[in-house]
Amino acid sequence: QALGLVEPIRDVFCAIFFTAIGMLVQPAFLVQHLPKICALALAVLGLKVFIVFPSVLLFGYPLQTALLCGAGLSHVGEFAFVLASKGKRYGLIDQNEYMLLLGTTAVSLLTTPLI
């Protein structure tokens, strides 16, 4: 019963979150840099699988568990949006790098259900 009460609120916050992210992303930039963004997203996914998969195996878990962990933890999390905005605010990254990070994170989040 409690879950039934909480789910609508969760859905509203998800809608607000994805609307806010959509307002940050510039579609023209994404289209112009789509190959680079997709390559970066694949590189991040591959790197994270490359790190997580052997780590899980080293802990003695079976191959199937290591594969599932590697795939399940391969996406870029939502916290990357916060880190990117702070990096831009403090001058650590420029506008172009910021947009690439936003695009890479967005592509990663959109492809997560497919993995």
Side-chain angles (χ1 to χ4, degrees):
Q1 183 180 3
L3 185 60
L5 296 172
V6 173
E7 279 183 337
I9 296 170
R10 180 200 63 184
D11 294 341
V12 167
F13 281 116
C14 282
I16 291 170
F17 171 76
F18 284 110
T19 302
I21 297 307
M23 290 173 22
L24 291 174
V25 175
Q26 297 173 1
F29 182 89
L30 292 180
V31 171
Q32 185 179 6
H33 294 88
L34 190 61
K36 185 184 282 188
I37 290 170
C38 288
L40 285 169
L42 283 173
V44 168
L45 293 173
L47 182 64
K48 289 185 79 172
V49 168
F50 181 73
I51 292 169
V52 172
F53 176 73
S55 300
V56 174
L57 284 177
L58 285 173
F59 281 105
Y61 288 96
L63 181 65
Q64 182 180 5
T65 303
L67 285 171
L68 288 172
C69 287
L73 296 174
S74 63
H75 72 281
V76 178
E78 294 86 352
F79 191 62
F81 292 118
V82 176
L83 292 176
S85 68
K86 291 294 183 188
K88 183 180 172 226
R89 175 182 286 167
Y90 294 116
L92 300 173
I93 58 174
D94 62 18
Q95 178 67 22
N96 190 45
E97 292 167 336
Y98 176 70
M99 292 306 297
L100 285 173
L101 284 169
L102 287 181
T104 302
T105 304
V107 167
S108 173
L109 287 173
L110 289 173
T111 58
T112 296
L114 304 174
I115 296 177

